[in-house]
Amino acid sequence: MPLSRSPTEHYGLGINAATKWNSCSLAKSVAATLVGIALKEGAIASLDNPITRYIPLGGVYAKVSIRQLLRLASGVRWREDYTDPTSDRRQLLEIQCRWEEGGIAKHMASLPAATPAGESWVYNTGESYLVSLLMQNATSMNLADYCSDRLWSKVGMEADASWWTESPEGMTISGSGMHATLRDYARFGQFVLDEGRIGDELLLPAGWNAEAGTPFAVRDEMVPYGYMWWIPTLWDERLDGSFQAEGIYGQHIHINPRERLVVVVLCARSKPSFRQRLEINDDAFFAAVASALRI
């Protein structure tokens, strides 16, 4: 939704402006943005602090920084496969289904390292869940409550959102399970596009998007990932500087600072996969939207 134009919406297959859609991994980008707000407030001192300053985890995570956690670059061994019941992701899902407070953190702390921290990148939903525990201990608030107080209530959202929890009194499931309307996902995207500014108030650190929405190097190779935001892999000048939240069934919050554009896609593709081979076509779609709005 460019600032100079009215928002354009389209709904189909029975959903409408009041429908609250499952975010899947769009929630990761929301959670990472909340870390930025906590950093600006001083609740988190530095992204280079070890996460164990805020989370009582042992094992591999004793050597992982907050920045490495946000980039999913801890070096922890992990296999993100949604259809294989033996995968790490499916094992974690079984733990989630037990509704056991502390079960997720205990499981993640038991995992072995594949490489030293910062020397590899693996898409790891379990790791994204630790952001919730980090934020809960740093801010003394449940992540969902922090989101409501610091972001949702300030941006002018028109509907309440909901977020899964680990257990009735447990932490928020920060890497998935958020439900919101298309318009409110777009308002979140506009907040990010505006670099965290609401009126005269700046909620994110200066230059946050330049870090959060930028790829980083691992062993001299660039990873198309920022602080839980994906970077388009299709080279196209219209996408220069853009980044996006992505969910495993094709959901997107696309942020294009160059074009002053936010695009939200609610989707339910038939098979779950992060970075499906449709990704190039998805990127081409966002480039085409940017071109259409230039006319």
Side-chain angles (χ1 to χ4, degrees):
M1 52 172 65
L3 292 180
S4 60
R5 300 181 179 87
S6 299
T8 298
E9 301 173 59
H10 173 75
Y11 300 94
L13 301 178
I15 71 170
N16 56 45
T19 301
K20 295 179 182 178
W21 199 258
N22 184 4
S23 66
C24 292
S25 290
L26 303 188
K28 291 179 173 67
S29 304
V30 177
T33 302
L34 294 172
V35 172
I37 294 175
L39 182 66
K40 178 68 164 55
E41 289 184 339
I44 292 173
S46 169
L47 295 187
D48 294 317
N49 286 158
I51 64 171
T52 49
R53 176 169 174 172
Y54 303 93
I55 308 176
L57 283 179
V60 174
Y61 288 100
K63 298 182 179 180
V64 176
S65 71
I66 297 172
R67 193 184 310 276
Q68 290 165 339
L69 183 71
L70 291 176
R71 287 174 168 168
L72 305 183
S74 69
V76 170
R77 189 195 70 194
W78 184 267
R79 185 162 61 92
E80 185 91 1
D81 189 315
Y82 307 105
T83 59
D84 183 350
T86 68
S87 74
D88 293 294
R89 180 65 188 98
R90 287 288 296 274
Q91 290 179 45
L92 184 66
L93 182 59
E94 290 183 12
I95 292 170
Q96 286 178 242
C97 291
R98 295 174 195 163
W99 259 33
E100 173 191 348
E101 187 169 350
I104 290 172
K106 181 179 179 181
H107 175 73
M108 295 304 295
S110 73
L111 297 175
T115 70
E119 293 191 12
S120 63
W121 178 86
V122 175
Y123 190 76
N124 182 334
T125 287
E127 201 141 271
S128 74
Y129 290 177
L130 297 180
V131 171
S132 180
L133 190 56
L134 163 73
M135 288 288 290
Q136 187 168 301
N137 291 341
T139 67
S140 300
M141 293 179 70
N142 178 282
L143 182 70
D145 292 336
Y146 186 84
C147 180
S148 177
D149 185 71
R150 299 302 203 275
L151 178 62
W152 219 253
S153 62
K154 294 186 176 184
V155 175
M157 303 303 192
E158 64 182 56
D160 290 337
S162 62
W163 215 327
W164 292 343
T165 60
E166 179 184 39
S167 65
E169 302 300 326
M171 69 179 190
T172 304
I173 300 295
S174 49
S176 61
M178 184 181 184
H179 293 73
T181 65
L182 182 146
R183 291 177 181 176
D184 287 345
Y185 284 130
R187 288 183 175 94
F188 166 71
Q190 187 71 53
F191 168 80
V192 173
L193 181 68
D194 292 338
E195 303 202 47
R197 186 171 296 281
I198 303 175
D200 295 331
E201 188 176 12
L202 185 64
L203 301 187
L204 290 172
W208 177 258
N209 284 357
E211 294 184 25
T214 302
F216 68 100
V218 171
R219 295 181 177 176
D220 298 325
E221 292 189 12
M222 298 305 293
V223 178
Y225 203 71
Y227 296 162
M228 298 192 180
W229 291 93
W230 287 96
I231 315 303
T233 55
L234 174 67
W235 186 90
D236 190 303
E237 66 169 4
R238 297 167 295 182
L239 298 176
D240 188 35
S242 64
F243 53 97
Q244 55 210 30
E246 297 185 11
I248 59 172
Y249 291 99
Q251 305 93 331
H252 286 84
I253 304 174
H254 175 77
I255 314 289
N256 188 328
R258 172 175 171 167
E259 304 292 337
R260 297 294 298 164
L261 175 67
V262 174
V263 183
V264 176
V265 178
L266 305 184
C267 191
R269 288 176 179 158
S270 60
K271 294 182 180 180
S273 176
F274 73 95
R275 300 302 273 181
Q276 292 179 330
R277 288 322 309 159
L278 288 171
E279 67 185 65
I280 298 298
N281 290 333
D282 290 334
D283 292 347
F285 166 73
F286 295 124
V289 171
S291 289
L293 291 175
R294 286 180 178 176
I295 300 172

